[in-house]
Amino acid sequence: MSKRQQIARLFEDVHTGRIDRRGFVQRAAGLGLGLTMATALSNSIAFTASAQESTPEAATDRPSFGTEGQERGAGGELRLLQWQAVTTFSTHNATGNKDILGGSLVYEPLLSYLPDSSLIPTLVKEVPTIENGLLAADLTSVTYNLLDGVLWNDGTPFTAHDVVATWAWATNPDNASTSLNTYAPIVSAEATDDLTVTITFAQSNLAWFLPFTGTSIGAVYPKHILELGAEAAAILGNTPVGTGPYRVVDFVSGDNAQLEINEHYREPNKPFFATVNLKGNVTSDAAARGVIQLGEWDFAWNPQVSPDVLREYENGGAGRGVFAPSPSFETVQFNFSDPHTEVNGQLSEKNTPHPFLTDPAVRRALNLASDRDLISSEFYTGAPGEPPARNVLNAISAFESPNTSYTFDVEAAKTVLEEAGWTLNGDVREKDGVRLELQLVTTVNAVRQDTQAVLKASWEEAGFKVELVEIDSAAFFDTSPGNTQGWYQFYRDTQLLTIGAGTPFPTEFLGYWYAGPDGSNIAQEENSWSGKNIQRFVNAEFDELFESLAVESDPEAAAATFIRLNDIVIEQDAVVPLVQRSAANSYGIHNRLNNDNILAHSWEVLYWNIANWNLATE
């Protein structure tokens, strides 16, 4: 029976009352559909037989058009422009897509996602399901049967012991893994033989698939490298040993990397391109122009340029821009700690509150004085592709909150501040000797400078004094512990950038606002800024709900929890979501490349299928 027929059978079962909607979601997820897709199908059932006819055909595999009969390496050099340069290849230490992109050329997960959040095998023989007996019916354990004959790029065999070692490494706080919260629900990982590993969870786990799935947090590391102790960190980040199609031969952190084919890659006719020239440390505009207009490069990640500029580059150029909605959004983040006072040798110390951004009235006023509509329509493509944003969880239908809204009203912002005691002294408001003076920091980027100017004008009209600061992207996105300009250290009042969910069950993303016990998930010097919560936001209700997701077994309750978590962030004005962006799925592509094999989508980074990239046919 095909997957489509099995899903149709589930629709029939729920329609006739043999199972309830909770059972439908669990069984659909057990067929290899991602939980988000299964929940969305459940929400659209309306308990009618007609739903069977509208069941979508599930995608079955990653695209590989035109790869039959090709010769490995025949494509020569593949030239990639990534204006946010890679600073580490270690995806489990990555703090943004720039590093995950680099890591995806080398490391691989056990499972990968398709656009509808369905799961497909990468380093395993099949997707675990309840039906094939590899996924426990109560979702407390999962067994993976690994592919035989897979080698690491140094020739060492890939085994189940590598999977176990990756879990142990990711959950060791000493390794500063940004994936720690994802792997923490696992209580044991056991290699029953060299090609079989069983993962056991503390509780029934709706998100059983998150560990070891997807390019963002699923990478498996080699046990023989992890056993090297202190030396392992340098290898993982600079000269990584992976099972993917490429290996690093030269790397200048924050600038460029040169890669060549992994001679041990398991598919003999792939990859098509012999080498990869991965260049960063350029402006977004230069990346877009270098590919789309000049044709000097093959591919540009996230070309953040205005629609007018894009059309100019495409007119008579060598390529085009490709855009699709994604969960990403351009946002202003507020620092809840004080970036101007040094405590215990560091700025933005988690227990030292910001002098005025901890006042809800101040954050509410900044939100009211932010013109989303203008920014969306003038600097982005506007609705429907890049509409104004009102949530932090976007483009995930099952989890997108219907409870939120936004308003642009500078006069209302003034009233909020007045009522909270922030009165004008000249052009700037103050209270108890504290003046509303702040920095708005972002990268050097024409679209972001335009956005800064719009925000500065309306914020200052409301009574703030705003200093605009632009930092080169190489420094802004450099997460090295000693970098005081880095976005992850957040040594500033406010900053403007793009963030968004990278998995269809977005607990990892919501970690941005989870403080954890004693603030353990807050980015600080003592945890090498590996804590996800860079804003130093603390909310007891948020933390309690976030922790409940690890033991939630009811899909509908989980969806309600995600919506409430989103609403807390919005109600607290912790951020100002400005524009829902296509960033995760946007790129510039040279006409010579086969676009059919890119398959950009929200749950994998853009290079996830690079083993199948090749040239366009005439």
Side-chain angles (χ1 to χ4, degrees):
M1 183 182 295
S2 71
K3 182 183 289 187
R4 178 179 174 83
Q5 290 171 322
Q6 291 180 72
I7 295 173
R9 173 77 60 84
L10 287 179
F11 272 113
E12 180 181 349
D13 288 346
V14 76
H15 174 61
T16 58
R18 287 193 289 270
I19 60 173
D20 59 14
R21 291 179 68 181
R22 177 179 176 180
F24 172 88
V25 174
Q26 290 183 330
R27 295 189 190 184
L31 286 171
L33 285 181
L35 181 67
T36 308
M37 180 62 175
T39 304
L41 284 174
S42 171
N43 291 341
S44 68
I45 286 172
F47 300 100
T48 66
S50 62
Q52 296 181 44
E53 302 303 319
S54 62
T55 308
E57 186 71 58
T60 58
D61 207 350
R62 66 198 78 215
S64 57
F65 300 105
T67 60
E68 303 85 357
Q70 72 180 17
E71 179 184 350
R72 171 183 282 186
E77 183 185 57
L78 177 66
R79 297 160 296 175
L80 308 179
L81 275 178
Q82 186 180 304
W83 60 273
Q84 293 178 21
V86 176
T87 54
T88 177
F89 280 87
S90 178
T91 56
H92 289 299
N93 296 114
T95 55
N97 272 1
K98 65 182 181 62
D99 297 328
I100 298 169
L101 283 158
S104 69
L105 301 171
V106 180
Y107 295 116
E108 293 182 299
L110 298 184
L111 299 172
S112 297
Y113 295 106
L114 289 174
D116 65 359
S117 82
S118 295
L119 305 172
I120 55 173
T122 295
L123 290 175
V124 295
K125 295 176 181 177
E126 68 271 291
V127 174
T129 68
I130 295 171
E131 281 67 22
N132 65 21
L134 298 177
L135 177 63
D138 61 359
L139 307 182
T140 57
S141 66
V142 57
T143 296
Y144 292 104
N145 293 324
L146 308 185
L147 289 178
D148 194 6
V150 175
L151 300 176
W152 297 99
N153 63 31
D154 63 0
T156 305
F158 165 70
T159 73
H161 304 286
D162 298 308
V163 179
V164 174
T166 300
W167 162 67
W169 183 92
T171 53
N172 182 344
D174 293 340
N175 296 319
S177 170
T178 52
S179 306
L180 187 150
N181 288 333
T182 297
Y183 288 80
I186 298 173
V187 294
S188 69
E190 180 185 2
T192 54
D193 58 46
D194 282 350
L195 296 177
T196 309
V197 60
T198 297
I199 307 297
T200 303
F201 301 96
Q203 304 278 345
S204 177
N205 191 352
L206 287 171
W208 62 267
F209 53 88
L210 280 186
F212 303 110
T213 299
T215 46
S216 293
I217 52 178
V220 182
Y221 284 170
K223 179 175 183 285
H224 64 285
I225 299 299
L226 299 180
E227 290 176 335
L228 297 178
E231 186 182 348
I235 296 174
L236 294 172
N238 300 315
T239 55
V241 176
T243 58
Y246 291 99
R247 60 182 293 271
V248 176
V249 293
D250 187 56
F251 176 43
V252 179
S253 179
D255 190 275
N256 73 88
Q258 306 300 316
L259 299 95
E260 66 181 14
I261 287 176
N262 167 15
E263 63 178 339
H264 300 292
Y265 188 62
R266 57 191 173 276
E267 296 190 65
N269 65 333
K270 300 174 185 177
F272 178 70
F273 294 101
T275 60
V276 175
N277 180 356
L278 178 59
K279 178 72 174 85
N281 198 16
V282 297
T283 67
S284 176
D285 180 80
R289 186 167 181 261
V291 172
I292 298 170
Q293 184 181 55
L294 302 178
E296 295 172 347
W297 295 78
D298 295 313
F299 193 87
W301 166 78
N302 183 16
Q304 190 175 15
V305 294
S306 69
D308 289 344
V309 171
L310 179 64
R311 285 191 291 269
E312 176 189 339
Y313 290 167
E314 288 180 329
N315 186 21
R320 66 193 187 281
V322 179
F323 301 86
S326 82
S328 300
F329 60 101
E330 189 80 351
T331 190
V332 176
Q333 295 179 321
F334 297 136
N335 194 342
F336 285 76
S337 62
D338 188 349
H340 307 293
T341 300
E342 184 174 305
V343 177
N344 297 327
Q346 65 177 310
L347 301 174
S348 291
E349 194 271 334
K350 66 183 179 182
N351 297 313
T352 307
H354 193 281
F356 57 82
L357 286 174
T358 48
D359 185 342
V362 173
R363 301 194 304 274
R364 176 96 290 258
L366 289 167
N367 196 328
L368 286 166
S370 300
D371 194 345
R372 294 165 166 85
D373 290 323
L374 188 152
I375 293 167
S376 168
S377 62
E378 294 296 321
F379 311 142
Y380 294 88
T381 60
E386 294 185 309
R390 57 182 176 84
N391 288 315
V392 296
L393 287 181
N394 301 288
I396 310 176
S397 60
F399 307 146
E400 194 159 359
S401 174
N403 308 319
T404 57
S405 61
Y406 68 89
T407 302
F408 174 59
D409 190 336
V410 177
E411 292 305 313
K414 294 177 183 178
T415 299
V416 168
L417 292 170
E418 286 284 348
E419 291 177 348
W422 294 96
T423 58
L424 282 173
N425 182 357
D427 294 330
V428 181
R429 295 180 183 274
E430 64 177 32
K431 177 182 179 180
D432 300 330
V434 177
R435 288 168 61 82
L436 296 183
E437 298 180 349
L438 58 82
Q439 288 183 327
L440 174 58
V441 182
T442 192
T443 55
V444 177
N445 176 311
V447 171
R448 287 195 168 132
Q449 269 67 84
D450 288 341
T451 302
Q452 278 183 308
V454 167
L455 294 173
K456 175 182 171 71
S458 54
W459 288 2
E460 291 193 336
E461 183 182 348
F464 293 84
K465 182 178 180 181
V466 181
E467 178 190 1
L468 301 183
V469 178
E470 296 83 38
I471 298 175
D472 183 84
S473 63
F476 187 82
F477 291 108
D478 179 3
T479 55
S480 302
N483 177 25
T484 60
Q485 298 186 86
W487 77 282
Y488 219 73
Q489 284 79 1
F490 202 180
Y491 285 164
R492 55 197 62 115
D493 304 299
T494 69
Q495 61 187 12
L496 175 69
L497 73 165
T498 295
I499 58 175
T503 59
F505 197 87
T507 47
E508 186 74 17
F509 170 66
L510 288 171
Y512 274 125
W513 300 281
Y514 171 63
D518 299 319
S520 58
N521 193 51
I522 294 176
Q524 290 284 275
E525 183 177 21
E526 51 264 35
N527 59 24
S528 300
W529 288 273
S530 63
K532 194 81 172 179
N533 186 343
I534 65 171
Q535 292 184 239
R536 289 81 172 180
F537 173 80
V538 179
N539 182 279
E541 181 189 0
F542 187 98
D543 277 20
E544 183 178 356
L545 287 171
F546 182 90
E547 290 169 357
S548 76
L549 287 169
V551 296
E552 182 58 71
S553 60
D554 184 337
E556 293 184 355
T561 297
F562 279 124
I563 289 171
R564 180 57 191 153
L565 289 169
N566 174 92
D567 291 353
I568 291 172
V569 175
I570 298 303
E571 290 167 3
Q572 294 293 313
D573 297 299
V575 297
V576 181
L578 296 172
V579 179
Q580 185 179 333
R581 293 198 54 212
S582 59
N585 302 333
S586 67
Y587 54 94
I589 185 170
H590 195 292
N591 291 332
R592 82 185 193 106
L593 284 189
N594 179 6
N595 187 58
D596 291 338
N597 288 342
I598 307 298
L599 194 59
H601 66 87
S602 300
W603 315 127
E604 301 283 1
V605 295
L606 283 171
Y607 309 153
W608 79 284
N609 193 41
I610 202 162
N612 287 304
W613 286 21
N614 53 17
L615 297 178
T617 56
E618 296 296 336

